[in-house]
Amino acid sequence: MTDLKYTIKDFKSENEVRWCPGCGDYAIMNAVQRTMAGMGIPREKFAVISGIGCSSRFPYYMSTFGFHTIHGRAAAVASGVKAANPDLSVWVITGDGDAMAIGGNHFIHLIRRNMDLNLVLFNNRIYGLTKGQYSPTSDRGVKTKTSPFGTVEDPFVPGQLVIGARGTFFARSIDSNIKLSQEVFDGAAKHKGTSVVEVLQNCVIFNNGIHNAITDPNHRADRQLILEHGKPMLFGEENEKGIIFEKGKLKVAKVGENGVTTDDVLVHDANEPDPTIHMALINMQLPDFPVAFGVIRSVSAPVYDVEMAAQIKTVQQTRKIKNVDELLNSGNTWEVTTENGSTGKDCPKFEFK
């Protein structure tokens, strides 16, 4: 860390931003830029890696190093970037189609390995760049260009995949709440290991209003649970509602009714190694529950690139073979000689050594 003082402008490139007017991507980029500006890290220490999709134009708009890769491979390329340059702050920008479909295998193995990088998943539950096909996170029954009679499959829940792949960090935000997004991005940047931040994002052209039930100002307080580590899970206009644990399940209760007090409300522990409650929070859905936002899980575990660097150092210090010549002359070797045993070009014969 340094005493560098950046502003958001320092992370904006000169390229014209070509997202649709009103797209939620603008707010997400704003939050990422604000986060980077406050990290005290030189701009040349940042690398932004993306795949394919509307969100993946992100590197062009950032005054950092960047790489616009191919469909679904952002996580794989970013892993290589981090492994080769462990001092970089690497950010993966991807969408629900890019990460959950063609990139699904790379996504889960990145998390399993626990590479020290940050993945931001833009989730608008549609394929936007390819003009409105349903995606792996689209709800069952939704009608799109590729499902005109409604989908007949259930969607992925990104947080479930993170927990299932032994993820150490998962957070959720929403594009319209820049302050919350900046807070979770800051937490992701400080986490050692793979951090996954799902941002619910609005596509104004092909899936406009998909998150309105959550973001509607008239109901927002009752439909969003903003989690903070070490604080009770309260929500509502006056924090009059809370999440309690009853009969092995989460339940919404009103403080002051049926003997429920604030002492009965669960206190959020993002650092709990057991993912049971974290998974339950990820699974909460309207209308029975509010949707959980903030840092849901943040636990410690061995970090792949750190372990890899340590292993290489150990092998270098203890290895018997230290260069290519020693390698080529190790084990069983063959030497070409002449009939009289000297080296030469005539009548070669082979001797096993």
Side-chain angles (χ1 to χ4, degrees), residues 48-60 65-71 73-74 77 93 98 129:
V48 179
I49 314 298
S50 67
I52 295 294
C54 293
S55 64
S56 293
R57 294 192 61 80
F58 207 97
Y60 298 108
F65 286 112
F67 191 176
H68 189 185
T69 73
I70 59 177
H71 206 188
R73 272 56 179 183
V77 173
I93 305 298
D98 188 55
L129 186 66

Side-chain angles (χ1 to χ4, degrees), residues 235-308:
F235 65 102
E237 290 289 350
E238 299 179 359
N239 280 340
E240 74 280 8
K241 299 177 183 178
I243 303 297
I244 65 173
F245 198 68
E246 184 176 277
K247 297 181 179 179
K249 295 182 180 180
L250 298 188
K251 181 181 178 181
V252 173
K254 193 166 185 179
V255 177
E257 292 185 357
N258 302 316
V260 175
T261 69
T262 53
D263 292 336
D264 298 310
V265 177
L266 288 174
V267 174
H268 182 47
D269 185 358
N271 305 145
E272 169 58 50
D274 186 332
T276 303
I277 297 297
H278 299 156
M279 180 69 91
L281 291 168
I282 288 167
N283 290 338
M284 292 196 312
Q285 298 182 46
L286 300 176
D288 298 324
F289 291 93
V291 176
F293 290 96
V295 177
I296 295 174
R297 179 170 175 81
S298 180
V299 299
S300 297
V303 178
Y304 182 93
D305 36 298
V306 174
E307 296 285 303
M308 182 188 71

Side-chain angles (χ1 to χ4, degrees), residues 65 106 116 151 158 173 288 316 328:
F65 286 112
H106 296 296
D116 186 21
T151 63
S173 187
D288 298 324
Q316 287 175 335
L328 294 177

